[in-house]
């Protein structure tokens, strides 16, 4: 049985003060969750959020990780830096990183391998744009992202995949339950083809496009959706309603 996993992606939001206060407020609301819970936060906030989350069931993750352990890579964060603070997860290949900062499938692959080598669980994002969906290219796009981004991984079940239809991120538009399930079922079948059927059964696949307190139950009821990568809704106490979707 796959255990559900709800992760918040704070993006470029919160400060050490507001983030710590928020974790203090939300921790008692999610303490009895039946799913794994995490917040992926800006790198500068990781020390403070790690401290704030001590003694709770909330794990802290990063929003990115570089593939080298050290070097002349201004502005980047290495896996060793993250591990020093007990970071458990790292988002890799988010559509905003691809769109605004030129990240490629090759870079996603290198970052994923580096995270795995450090014992950090990568949350690898895949998904299509609106024009790609309208042109019927969703499966080709996602297939390429999986094939290129997940090369040379020994145990695919050590990663989490987040399906993010780019057209549903930050727009308030959400894929229907059926649309999300259809594409995530396709992702699972591709994992079975590329790796092995048993791997496909065991890998956690989240939905990452504007999941919120009002639509989470329908999405989480789908057989292939194992959780959510939550953006805007992870900055409010409504995040607890998503975490407690089954209560």
């Amino acid at each position: 049985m796959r255990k559900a996993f709800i992760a918040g992606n704070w993006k470029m939001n919160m400060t050490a003060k507001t983030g710590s206060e928020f974790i203090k407020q939300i921790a008692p609301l999610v303490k009895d969750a039946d799913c794994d819970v995490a917040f992926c936060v800006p790198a500068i906030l990781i020390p403070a959020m790690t401290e704030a989350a001590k003694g709770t069931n909330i794990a802290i993750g990063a929003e990115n990780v570089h593939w080298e352990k050290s070097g002349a890579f201004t502005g980047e964060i290495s896996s060793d830096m993250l591990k020093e603070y007990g970071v458990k997860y790292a988002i890799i290949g988010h559509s905003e990183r691809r769109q605004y900062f030129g990240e490629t499938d090759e870079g996603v692959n290198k970052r994923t391998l580096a995270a795995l080598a450090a014992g950090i669980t990568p949350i690898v994002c895949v998904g299509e744009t609106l024009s790609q969906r309208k042109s019927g290219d969703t499966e080709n796009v996602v297939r390429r992202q999986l094939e290129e981004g997940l090369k040379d991984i020994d145990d695919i079940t050590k990663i989490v995949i987040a399906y993010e239809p780019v057209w549903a991120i930050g727009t308030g538009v959400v894929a229907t339950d059926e649309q999300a399930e259809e594409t995530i079922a396709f992702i699972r079948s591709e994992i079975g083809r590329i790796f092995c059927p048993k791997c496909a059964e065991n890998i956690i696949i989240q939905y990452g496009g504007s999941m919120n307190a009002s639509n989470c139950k329908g999405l989480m009821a789908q057989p292939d959706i194992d959780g959510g990568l939550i953006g805007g809704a992870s900055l409010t106490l409504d995040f607890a309603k998503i975490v407690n979707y089954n209560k």
Side-chain angles (χ1 to χ4, degrees), residues 39-52:
F39 287 118
C40 295
V41 307
I44 197 171
L45 301 186
I46 287 171
M49 296 312 103
T50 301
E51 183 64 28

Side-chain angles (χ1 to χ4, degrees), residues 109-240:
N109 181 238
K110 292 163 72 175
R111 293 175 195 271
T112 300
L113 291 171
L116 287 170
I120 295 171
T121 300
I123 302 174
V124 179
C125 302
V126 299
E128 81 286 9
T129 64
L130 182 59
S131 62
Q132 289 166 336
R133 172 163 280 271
K134 284 184 173 180
S135 65
D137 213 25
T138 294
E139 291 188 356
N140 289 332
V141 170
V142 171
R143 181 183 294 113
R144 185 203 74 234
Q145 291 172 336
L146 293 172
E147 289 178 344
E148 297 298 318
L150 304 180
K151 283 181 179 178
D152 303 319
I153 293 177
D154 293 329
D155 185 355
I156 192 64
T157 63
K158 289 185 176 180
I159 79 163
V160 173
I161 295 176
Y163 167 56
E164 304 182 303
V166 180
W167 45 273
I169 298 173
T171 63
V173 177
V174 65
T176 65
D177 298 347
E178 293 75 20
Q179 285 174 323
E181 167 63 18
E182 179 182 34
T183 305
I184 288 176
F186 170 75
I187 291 170
R188 199 174 298 284
S189 70
E190 284 296 289
I191 294 299
R193 178 184 67 81
I194 299 168
F195 294 93
C196 69
K198 188 175 181 180
C199 301
E201 291 175 11
N202 292 329
I203 192 169
I204 300 295
I205 307 179
Q206 300 173 317
Y207 173 73
S210 296
M211 183 186 284
N212 55 47
S214 63
N215 61 34
C216 60
K217 286 188 178 182
L219 288 163
M220 291 299 295
Q222 303 306 308
D224 287 292
I225 298 178
D226 304 318
L229 182 58
I230 316 299
S234 72
L235 301 169
T236 75
L237 294 181
D238 270 358
F239 182 74

Side-chain angles (χ1 to χ4, degrees), residues 34-81:
D34 295 327
C35 61
D36 289 327
V37 183
F39 287 118
C40 295
V41 307
I44 197 171
L45 301 186
I46 287 171
M49 296 312 103
T50 301
E51 183 64 28
K54 275 185 180 177
T56 75
N57 62 324
I58 299 171
I60 298 300
E63 296 180 10
N64 199 9
V65 60
H66 197 264
W67 55 82
E68 294 289 354
K69 284 184 169 291
S70 63
F73 302 101
T74 301
E76 291 287 338
I77 304 293
S78 75
S79 56
D80 285 349
M81 295 172 185

